[in-house]
Amino acid sequence: MCIRDSVYTAPRALEDAEIPSVIATFVQGAKNAIEAGFDGVEVHGANGYLLDQFWKESSNKREGPYGGSIENRCRFTLEVTAAVAEAIGSDRVGLRISPLNSFNAQTDSDPEALTKALCERLNKLNLAYLHVMRADFFGVQKGDVVGWTKSVYKGTVMANMGYTAEEGEKAVADGVLDAVCFGTPFISNPDFVTRVEKGVPLAKGNQATFYGRSVEGYNDYPTATTSA
C-alpha cells in the first residue's frame, strides 16, 4: 500500500501548552540518532510539514505567541532548533527550510522578509549549516532564495533543488554557496558520485515509486557497472 492511499485522522491546531512536549520529541529523536551512531541531525523545517506550517501564513492562522507576525511565526522553528542544538551540540545540527516551495499548499505573501527574519535569528545558534530549497516544485512562487539567505545568514549555507553537478560545482567555486546537495539523483543512481566523477550519464528515477512502501524503487536501481 502506498502512503498516498493511507487514511489519516483530521488534523487540528496544537494548543500552546502542547508545544513544549512536541519540542521534547524533536530533542529525543536527535538524542536517539546520536546514540545510534549518527554524526548529526537535520531538523526538517520545509515542505509543508509541522515547522513549515507554523512558519508560513497560508497555514498559520494562530493567535498568541506563535501566530500573526513574522517574529511569532519563526518562534516554533527557532525553539525546536535551539533545543536540539543544546541537546546534542550545535555543530551536529542543520536546519532545512523551503521559503518558496508550495508543496502541501504552503505559500507566504512575503517570503523574502520571512526568510531574512529567520536567518537573522538563526545566526545566534551557530549551526553546522542551513539547508535551503532554492525554488518551488510547482512554480507558484519565485524569488532569489539563495541571495536572500546569503545576505543575512553568516554560517554555512547549503542548497538543493534541481542542480546539475556542473551547476553545483560552479556555485561553490564562485562562492555563491558553501555546498550543494543532491536528493532525487541519488535515488536512481546509487553510484551518483562515481558517475559524476567519471562523466557517466545519470539514470532517470521512476517518480511513481518514490513514496511507496514496497521494495520497488527503493534499492533496486543498478549501478553503471551493472547496467547492461
Side-chain angles (χ1 to χ4, degrees), residues 30-192:
K31 289 180 176 178
N32 291 346
I34 298 304
E35 184 178 352
F38 285 77
D39 296 315
V41 301
E42 180 176 90
V43 176
H44 197 338
N47 295 349
Y49 300 117
L50 186 59
L51 301 190
D52 200 35
Q53 291 170 22
F54 273 71
W55 198 39
K56 304 279 180 58
E57 64 185 2
S58 59
S59 53
N60 187 335
K61 307 301 182 184
R62 306 175 70 89
E63 297 179 351
Y66 294 94
S69 68
I70 286 178
E71 180 180 5
N72 284 355
R73 287 186 281 123
C74 289
R75 191 183 308 278
F76 186 43
T77 296
L78 291 167
E79 289 182 347
V80 167
T81 308
V84 170
E86 182 178 3
I88 66 171
S90 62
D91 59 332
R92 291 185 168 210
V93 179
L95 171 66
R96 188 186 199 203
I97 59 173
S98 57
L100 295 179
N101 198 12
S102 60
F103 188 69
N104 284 323
Q106 292 300 297
T107 58
D108 198 89
S109 63
D110 196 347
E112 179 178 358
L114 188 65
T115 302
K116 289 181 176 179
L118 182 66
C119 288
E120 181 65 41
R121 291 159 176 78
L122 287 172
N123 281 325
K124 301 176 182 179
L125 299 185
N126 195 29
L127 300 177
Y129 62 86
L130 176 61
H131 175 186
V132 297
M133 296 180 66
R134 64 170 175 167
D136 179 3
F137 281 146
F138 307 106
V140 174
Q141 299 190 116
K142 300 182 186 299
D144 182 13
V145 170
V146 172
W148 302 341
T149 303
K150 290 286 285 185
S151 71
V152 177
Y153 190 66
K154 306 305 181 185
T156 297
V157 177
M158 175 169 63
N160 83 329
M161 204 167 183
Y163 283 94
T164 63
E166 295 75 18
E167 184 186 9
E169 185 175 16
K170 186 176 188 306
V172 173
D174 291 348
V176 175
L177 289 164
D178 299 299
V180 172
C181 68
F182 298 87
T184 302
F186 264 107
I187 296 175
S188 53
N189 297 274
D191 55 345
F192 174 77

Side-chain angles (χ1 to χ4, degrees), residues 23-37:
I23 295 174
T25 301
F26 276 92
V27 169
Q28 187 60 56
K31 289 180 176 178
N32 291 346
I34 298 304
E35 184 178 352

